[in-house]
Amino acid sequence: MSSSAQVIVLNGGSSSGKSGVARCLQAVLPEAWLAIGVDTLIDVMPARLRLGSEGIGFAGDGEVSVGAEFRLLEDAWMNGVAAMVRAGARVIVDDVFLGGTESRRRWEKALDGLDVVWVGVRCDAAVAAGRELARGDRVAGMAEAQAELVHRGMSYDVEVDTAKAEAVECAKVIAARVGNVQGRGGSSFGAQEPPP
């Protein structure tokens, strides 16, 4: 069965399991989907933007700061992703909404007119911190700091919790929702209630 969705936006904190869910979505969805993550954007930026105040900075306690030059490039990246979708690609976006609802508004602007499924990828802070430690390639404290922060004030079409279900199970729940983007009911699987 072909889906009407063109974009799936996964929002979750660092080490919440978004990349694994994205890979599983690529396997379970009938159409070909590209998986694009904000980490790729950061990796292709000049090194000076990963260290300075104008780019993206990572404090020792896991706090992330974002400067004006990063935002400029991020806006171009978002519009580039939207252009790929308008050209016929289906895209899974793996992002971390550090700016909360403002981050989502920026994506909504770029993706205006496209069929989007918004997904909250939740993970208990302690579980995410354990994954972060095991990975060894992240600033300690980032996962715990972001676990709830990125979901504040957010509403989703579907939520999954990777601390309670394997990535493939989460992907199947999302895939079931992808075929019906019109009725914004908000299914959930292993989801926690959003914070007040």
Side-chain angles (χ1 to χ4, degrees):
M1 178 172 91
S2 179
S3 73
S4 56
Q6 298 166 285
V7 186
I8 302 169
V9 178
L10 306 176
N11 173 46
S14 178
S15 300
S16 63
K18 298 181 306 299
S19 298
V21 170
R23 284 190 298 274
C24 289
L25 275 168
Q26 287 178 303
V28 301
L29 289 167
E31 304 92 354
W33 286 74
L34 301 176
I36 299 173
V38 70
D39 287 345
T40 303
L41 170 66
I42 294 167
D43 289 345
V44 298
M45 287 186 173
R48 69 177 178 80
L49 289 182
R50 291 190 297 262
L51 303 170
S53 61
E54 286 303 300
I56 187 166
F58 302 95
D61 63 356
E63 185 178 341
V64 179
S65 60
V66 177
E69 199 167 358
F70 177 88
R71 283 285 184 232
L72 182 70
L73 292 172
E74 186 183 37
D75 281 340
W77 174 69
M78 289 175 167
N79 285 302
V81 169
M84 288 193 311
V85 176
R86 290 186 176 96
R90 293 177 189 270
V91 176
I92 302 163
V93 175
D94 166 352
D95 205 348
V96 181
F97 288 1
L98 293 174
T101 55
E102 178 56 30
S103 295
R104 177 162 169 164
R105 276 192 288 273
R106 293 172 67 232
W107 269 115
E108 287 173 337
K109 181 179 175 185
L111 300 172
D112 185 47
L114 299 172
D115 289 325
V116 182
V117 175
W118 299 93
V119 180
V121 180
R122 294 186 177 270
C123 182
D124 177 77
V127 173
R131 291 176 183 170
E132 175 182 75
L133 182 63
R135 287 174 67 157
D137 64 349
R138 301 290 166 132
V139 176
M142 203 161 47
E144 189 171 358
Q146 295 175 5
E148 288 301 324
L149 171 72
V150 300
H151 299 293
R152 285 190 190 145
M154 214 62 60
S155 63
Y156 299 107
D157 297 311
V158 62
E159 294 185 34
V160 294
D161 189 328
T162 64
K164 297 178 180 178
E166 293 296 324
V168 69
E169 295 173 55
C170 294
K172 287 177 182 176
V173 170
I174 297 164
R177 185 70 175 95
V178 165
N180 178 22
V181 297
Q182 300 305 320
R184 304 281 186 211
S187 304
S188 66
F189 180 76
Q192 302 169 6
E193 288 299 312

